């Protein structure tokens, strides 16, 4: 598949991930219907939304680009021997641009409601200390993001291994991302994806951009370690 086609798929896929996942957090997590009846999807709904974006796009564009949607995933697949280093930078650029486009759509929708305050809402940005949903500090955020991304890549690499039954990988990967969000939304709002973090931070600015370094460093570190570890663990050398 030509690189241009693959980059277009990564752009569209990452846009969908941010629009579906972060959009659910911004627009639907807390929502009240008539008579203040609670209709919001809350933490569980947001976690499920992120998982569904990956599951649906894996079937839609997996055959085109591999459906990375995430710079950390691309790095992890490279470390695992599944992705060429020459395509890393183009993929990451397409993913970040797609994420920004998705965040832009959320912004256009969210600001259509009178009184919407982007900064006060947090806009689903990732953060620690005072900007962690549960008040978790930098060390907790770093550990959470490294470990969650490590296991995300282990599931991705394992479920897409040549010796694994074909066709089920998107389900495993989508459910894994849902579980990751169920665990870590209270800690950092869950990143495990530098493109997703960058897209929201650009709109929030200030503290979100100042803390963005952690949401690039930790996911990429966790993904790279997982890639090298899985390459060793799942090697096809005879026993």
């Amino acid at each position: 598949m030509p690189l241009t086609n693959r980059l277009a798929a990564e752009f569209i896929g990452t846009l969908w991930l941010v629009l579906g996942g972060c959009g659910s957090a911004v627009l639907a997590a807390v929502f009240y219907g008539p008579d203040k009846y609670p209709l919001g999807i809350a933490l569980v709904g947001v976690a499920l939304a992120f998982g569904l974006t990956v599951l649906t796009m894996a079937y839609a564009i997996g055959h085109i680009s591999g459906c990375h949607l995430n710079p950390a995933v691309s790095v992890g697949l490279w470390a695992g021997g599944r992705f060429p280093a020459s395509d890393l930078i183009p993929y990451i650029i397409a993913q970040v641009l797609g994420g920004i486009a998705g965040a832009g759509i959320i912004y256009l929708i969210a600001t259509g409601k009178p009184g919407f305050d982007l900064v006060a809402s947090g806009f689903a940005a990732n953060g620690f200390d005072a900007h962690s949903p549960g008040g978790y500090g930098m060390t907790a955020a770093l550990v959470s993001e490294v470990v969650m991304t490590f296991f995300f890549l282990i599931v991705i690499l394992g479920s897409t291994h040549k010796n694994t039954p074909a066709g089920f990988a998107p389900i495993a990967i989508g459910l894994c991302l849902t579980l990751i969000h169920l665990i870590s939304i209270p800690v950092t709002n869950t990143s495990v994806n530098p493109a997703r973090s960058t897209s929201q931070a650009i709109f929030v600015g200030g503290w979100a951009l100042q803390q963005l370094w952690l949401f690039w460093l930790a996911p990429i570190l966790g993904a790279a370690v997982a890639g090298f570890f899985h390459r060793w663990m799942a090697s096809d050398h005879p026993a």
Side-chain angles (χ1 to χ4, degrees):
M1 188 68 67
L3 180 61
T4 302
N5 298 57
R6 290 185 282 134
L7 296 182
E10 286 296 303
F11 176 90
I12 291 296
T14 313
L15 186 160
W16 180 237
L17 182 144
V18 169
L19 180 58
C22 296
S24 69
V26 173
L27 303 173
V30 179
F31 174 70
Y32 295 96
D35 299 321
K36 297 295 182 179
Y37 187 81
L39 298 174
I41 61 175
L43 184 153
V44 174
V46 173
L48 185 59
F50 271 100
L52 288 173
T53 62
V54 171
L55 189 155
T56 52
M57 268 299 146
Y59 283 115
I61 67 169
H63 63 290
I64 300 173
S65 68
C67 192
H68 298 187
L69 318 185
N70 181 340
V73 170
S74 296
V75 169
L77 291 173
W78 162 77
R82 306 273 193 89
F83 190 67
S86 60
D87 288 351
L88 271 177
I89 297 302
Y91 261 57
I92 290 172
I93 292 173
Q95 291 155 1
V96 171
L97 292 177
I100 294 171
I105 294 172
I106 298 170
Y107 176 80
L108 290 174
I109 296 171
T111 53
K113 180 179 180 179
F116 175 77
D117 188 327
L118 185 147
V119 176
S121 74
F123 206 57
N126 300 114
F128 51 86
D129 290 333
H131 306 290
S132 157
Y136 290 84
M138 183 181 71
T139 301
L142 184 66
V143 171
S144 177
E145 290 293 323
V146 169
V147 172
M148 295 302 155
T149 314
F150 174 90
F151 280 102
F152 190 36
L153 265 295
I154 291 295
V155 171
I156 291 172
L157 289 161
S159 63
T160 57
H161 191 273
K162 63 182 181 179
N163 294 334
T164 302
F168 296 99
I171 299 172
I173 294 167
L175 289 175
C176 179
L177 189 60
T178 298
L179 177 59
I180 285 169
H181 280 77
L182 288 173
I183 296 168
S184 61
I185 283 177
V187 183
T188 62
N189 248 349
T190 308
S191 170
V192 301
N193 185 339
R196 168 262 190 271
S197 297
T198 301
S199 66
Q200 306 309 116
I202 285 176
F203 281 84
V204 175
W207 67 264
L209 288 174
Q210 293 167 11
Q211 296 188 355
L212 183 60
W213 64 270
L214 187 145
F215 301 104
W216 274 87
L217 174 64
I220 287 177
L221 176 60
V225 172
F228 289 122
F229 176 75
H230 190 273
R231 185 191 291 198
W232 166 80
M233 180 177 68
S235 65
D236 295 324
H237 300 305

